[in-house]
Amino acid sequence: MGLTGFFLITFLIVHCGLNSMIFFNDGGQTFNHWAQFMGDNLIIRTMEIGLFLFLLLHVIQGIILWRQNASARPVKYVVNHPEANSKWYSRSMGLLGTLILLFLVVHLYHFWTPSRFGGIGSIEPLEEASLSVYNNQEVHNLYAAMQTVFKNSLVIVIIYIAGVISLCWHLLHGFQSAFQTFGINHKRYTPFIKGLGVFYSIVICLLFALMPIAIYLNWIN
Ligand code: HEM
């Protein structure tokens, strides 16, 4: 779980960094250019296959771990105060992971399927605005796709914010837990790793949450 977790943590940095280019507020020029570069790059496309395999593996490992935990203590404690030595989100990783998975189904339907398979599950205006010109080159206008998805639906914006909040709780435990899995647990370094995990989770999720909010509220056009 630690290894697949590290891979997904790295993916989120790249994904969030790339998407944050929409905040340049230049009509999506810079974002579309780099999104196209990533889409055309053979190494990135190969890693995309790895990403989906790792995601699947992470889910399967999670289910196995959850079942092992459940069968290790089939008879519940009579007195149990889990809050005394663990955070609720560390005990709810399965629930949070399931919410993220549900969010991902909606999310991939919005952006990934139309951009990869040209129109499956795509939304009307996306078809018209699917190409834009950048540096005399035609690029897929994923920025227009974002505008289409977020501009007119508060419900979708709320679904995204809920998905990102679930992700934030999941990462708050998952980040330091991945280090723990590799035996990196040291009096001196662990507080730093925990702090870095909190910083990472909050910054990544805040930036992700700001994307639908900024588009819906017309902060960026
Ligand atoms: C909330 C703000 C987010 C926005 C605006 C956004 C936007 C996008 C866009 C435009 C794509 C298509 C990229 C392409 O086809 O080249 C994409 C793909 C993807 N997103 Fe997001 N995303 C967001 C959050 C997330 C989160 C929180 C996760 C994970 C938990 C995630 C996971 C993915 C995955 C797995 C793909 C497909 C992989 C790929 O294209 O390489 N996204 N996203």
Side-chain angles (χ1 to χ4, degrees):
M1 284 221 88
L3 190 64
T4 49
F6 272 136
F7 188 88
L8 297 172
I9 283 169
T10 314
F11 161 75
L12 285 176
I13 296 176
V14 177
H15 189 23
C16 188
L18 179 71
N19 283 11
S20 293
M21 291 182 191
I22 64 168
F23 297 122
F24 285 134
N25 206 359
D26 57 358
Q29 292 272 298
T30 319
F31 166 71
N32 275 341
H33 169 70
W34 287 106
Q36 183 81 15
F37 168 80
M38 300 288 271
D40 289 345
N41 188 304
L42 206 63
I43 301 171
I44 303 285
R45 293 304 291 269
T46 315
M47 281 179 77
E48 195 175 274
I49 301 169
L51 171 71
F52 283 108
L53 287 179
F54 268 44
L55 197 63
L56 192 68
L57 201 61
H58 192 76
V59 174
I60 294 170
Q61 286 167 323
I63 294 169
I64 294 174
L65 205 64
W66 174 72
R67 288 187 60 159
Q68 277 172 354
N69 282 346
S71 60
R73 175 153 292 281
V75 182
K76 296 257 182 295
Y77 288 113
V78 178
V79 179
N80 189 16
H81 292 291
E83 69 283 359
N85 50 21
S86 65
K87 297 271 196 320
W88 73 266
Y89 50 83
S90 75
R91 299 189 305 273
S92 313
M93 291 301 272
L95 172 69
L96 292 168
T98 309
L99 290 175
I100 297 168
L101 209 58
L102 289 176
F103 157 76
L104 271 179
V105 173
V106 176
H107 179 48
L108 294 181
Y109 170 79
H110 278 150
F111 295 111
W112 186 75
T113 10
S115 100
R116 291 292 179 274
F117 304 107
I120 299 173
S122 77
I123 310 141
E124 282 297 311
L126 186 59
E127 299 278 9
E128 297 155 27
S130 68
L131 290 173
S132 76
V133 176
Y134 180 82
N135 273 355
N136 297 325
Q137 244 189 323
E138 277 199 329
V139 294
H140 277 284
N141 197 344
L142 279 172
Y143 184 76
M146 279 199 207
Q147 298 278 337
T148 307
V149 169
F150 299 130
K151 197 136 226 138
N152 305 310
S153 173
L154 185 60
V155 176
I156 290 178
V157 172
I158 291 171
I159 291 175
Y160 270 73
I161 294 171
V164 168
I165 292 174
S166 308
L167 177 70
C168 188
W169 291 120
H170 195 75
L171 288 172
L172 273 174
H173 174 72
F175 188 96
Q176 56 103 15
S177 177
F179 283 88
Q180 173 83 38
T181 305
F182 283 95
I184 306 171
N185 193 348
H186 188 279
K187 244 196 319 203
R188 188 186 291 174
Y189 307 121
T190 298
F192 172 74
I193 291 170
K194 282 191 175 170
L196 188 66
V198 173
F199 176 77
Y200 166 89
S201 310
I202 291 176
V203 170
I204 292 278
C205 294
L206 210 59
L207 282 170
F208 268 139
L210 269 177
M211 290 165 198
I213 294 174
I215 292 174
Y216 184 76
L217 295 178
N218 283 324
W219 292 342
I220 48 176
N221 291 295

